[in-house]
Amino acid sequence: MTAALIWLIIGIGLMVAEVLSGDFVLLMLGAGALFGAGSAALSGNPFIDVGVFAVSSVGLLVLARPALKRKFLSGPGVKTNTEALVGAQAVVLSTVDPHGGQVKLAGDVWSARSFADGQVIQPGTSVTVVEISGATAVVSAEP
């Protein structure tokens, strides 16, 4: 097996392994191995190949990885799951009081209770979700 093919297999293997880690380290090392494969195909000198791998891997880890992490891993927070429902509008289906009730929220029927003690919200009223507590939407009639 030629050195270029070995470098190529290692590079692809590291990039595939990146799927499990998700930290962009193996991706950078895999790209460095691909550069090493290119060097092996052009030069055939194993010392040059290892040097190209080392320099490109370190360069990618120091320069490209931080930018990729900022962009993909710690970018602006996208709200998901119940976080995305806080602040959403819902419609009261059955009377909501501090002890219970039901609202239609995001196309689904949710158990609900009022945010303020003593507040009773009648069916048909539009409410705002203040928080999600377990499987219960805590709602308020005031926006």
Side-chain angles (χ1 to χ4, degrees), residues 60-74:
L60 288 169
L61 284 169
V62 171
L63 300 175
R65 183 173 174 262
L68 286 172
K69 283 185 73 169
R70 269 193 309 276
K71 177 145 176 92
F72 293 111
L73 299 181
S74 61

Side-chain angles (χ1 to χ4, degrees), residues 29-123:
L29 295 176
L34 293 180
F35 284 120
S39 171
L42 294 175
S43 74
N45 185 335
F47 296 110
I48 293 175
D49 304 342
V50 171
V52 167
F53 167 73
V55 169
S56 61
S57 293
V58 169
L60 288 169
L61 284 169
V62 171
L63 300 175
R65 183 173 174 262
L68 286 172
K69 283 185 73 169
R70 269 193 309 276
K71 177 145 176 92
F72 293 111
L73 299 181
S74 61
V78 176
K79 293 182 179 180
T80 60
N81 303 326
T82 58
E83 278 182 359
L85 297 175
V86 174
Q89 296 295 310
V91 176
V92 176
L93 297 177
S94 67
T95 304
V96 174
D97 58 27
H99 306 290
Q102 288 186 329
V103 296
K104 184 157 190 140
L105 172 62
D108 294 320
V109 177
W110 279 70
S111 299
R113 63 180 165 84
S114 61
F115 179 66
D117 288 335
Q119 183 181 37
V120 177
I121 307 169
Q122 299 302 320

